Amino acid sequence: MTLMATAALVPLLAACGNERAGADSASVEAERPVTGIRWSVDSITADGTTLRAPVDAHVTIEDDGRTGGRYACNHFRGETDFDGDRIRFTIDSTLMACDDEPRRTFERTLSRTLGDGALKARVNDGRLTLTAGDGTTVRLSEGGADTPLHGTTWKITSPDAEGRAHLTFDEKEGTVSGSLGCNKVNAGATVRDGHITVGTPLTTRMVCEDSLMKAEKRLLRLFDTTLSYRVDHRSMTLTSENGQSVEVFAAT
């Protein structure tokens, strides 16, 4: 699916201020860079309702105008056009289904806003605000460094296990442990050259509802194999040798 999104992130935005020169007062424009920065989406306010970003929603614009990011469940990429303090996107999006209503609502609202004509952009103190013609406002802030693989509680978002599944990698012990949604799990885990070799899982033996057991069965395929992993700020993708991918984000 192609989403034609009109949102522009200009390379330099002006922040207005006042400066006195002798007895005169003048308005000066301080150029603030927008490109080359990972902007994390904090919230979006539409029709008087503010929605907090449920996952690692973000936007990045390169100096050459290429753009990419994530709504909530789906990633997007495309091009940007710059026109003063207005920004405009032309975007292609992936077609993953969101597993729960809050993420679906956030994704629909954000993607609609980024496709709602040129957005007025304002940068102030490391924060970017995008405002649509109908008043809908997207608030973003400069993202930090990638979250470390080890010592982080990685919450599994896909497959969905009702928010119960999570994993933590322990560098010192050489293990991965956590929950598969129903049962607890522990296994050896060796990290090398962008890959994680995961050993045989040791699990508890609880039986849960069918939806959790189905998700757990998929997650068990991550064990007794070698995974490739890619960390992108607060999100991470684990991909098994057979091509199965699991999406996680940093809960802590």
Side-chain angles (χ1 to χ4, degrees):
M1 177 177 65
T2 298
L3 300 180
M4 303 301 292
T6 51
L9 289 171
V10 293
L12 294 172
L13 296 180
C16 295
N18 291 325
E19 181 180 83
R20 297 191 65 86
D24 296 329
S25 151
S27 176
V28 298
E29 292 186 343
E31 291 182 329
R32 305 293 182 91
V34 174
T35 60
I37 297 173
R38 179 195 173 96
W39 295 101
S40 297
V41 181
D42 299 321
S43 66
I44 182 168
T45 301
D47 299 324
T49 300
T50 297
L51 304 174
R52 299 293 177 184
V55 293
D56 193 28
H58 65 276
V59 176
T60 301
I61 299 177
E62 305 298 339
D63 292 336
D64 62 3
R66 289 180 300 163
T67 188
R70 180 172 183 170
Y71 295 125
C73 304
N74 284 282
H75 292 81
F76 61 86
R77 62 182 180 180
E79 304 291 332
T80 56
D81 293 320
F82 312 130
D83 183 12
D85 65 350
R86 306 282 171 167
I87 59 179
R88 185 179 302 271
F89 297 114
T90 301
I91 294 174
D92 293 327
S93 173
T94 57
L95 294 172
M96 292 177 59
C98 287
D99 294 323
D100 61 77
E101 183 56 32
R103 281 190 288 164
R104 283 195 296 270
T105 300
F106 181 87
E107 176 150 312
R108 284 196 301 265
T109 306
L110 181 58
S111 62
R112 182 177 67 246
T113 302
L114 295 185
D116 192 28
L119 305 181
K120 183 177 177 62
R122 180 179 177 83
V123 177
N124 183 33
D125 194 24
R127 296 183 181 277
L128 170 65
T129 302
L130 303 175
T131 305
D134 63 359
T136 298
T137 302
V138 183
R139 294 178 176 84
L140 310 93
S141 57
E142 289 190 35
D146 290 341
T147 303
L149 171 67
H150 293 100
T152 300
T153 298
W154 295 100
K155 185 175 180 180
I156 297 171
T157 58
S158 177
D160 178 48
E162 300 179 9
R164 302 183 189 181
H166 57 86
L167 296 171
T168 300
F169 294 88
D170 189 311
E171 184 175 18
K172 182 178 180 180
E173 299 294 331
T175 61
V176 58
S177 60
S179 171
L180 300 175
C182 179
N183 286 284
K184 295 181 180 179
V185 65
N186 187 284
T190 302
V191 181
R192 182 179 300 163
D193 298 330
H195 292 80
I196 308 171
T197 300
V198 185
T200 302
L202 300 176
T203 68
T204 54
R205 299 296 182 183
M206 294 176 59
V207 176
C208 298
E209 53 266 38
D210 290 345
S211 60
L212 286 179
M213 298 307 294
K214 182 178 179 180
E216 186 163 298
K217 185 176 180 179
R218 287 184 59 189
L219 292 174
L220 282 170
R221 297 173 187 166
L222 297 177
F223 296 81
D224 272 330
T225 188
T226 297
L227 311 172
S228 61
Y229 73 96
R230 179 175 60 85
V231 178
D232 185 6
H233 191 44
R234 292 182 58 243
S235 65
M236 178 169 67
T237 302
L238 299 171
T239 305
S240 65
E241 293 173 311
N242 62 10
Q244 176 183 319
S245 293
V246 170
E247 297 286 335
V248 302
F249 77 98
T252 58

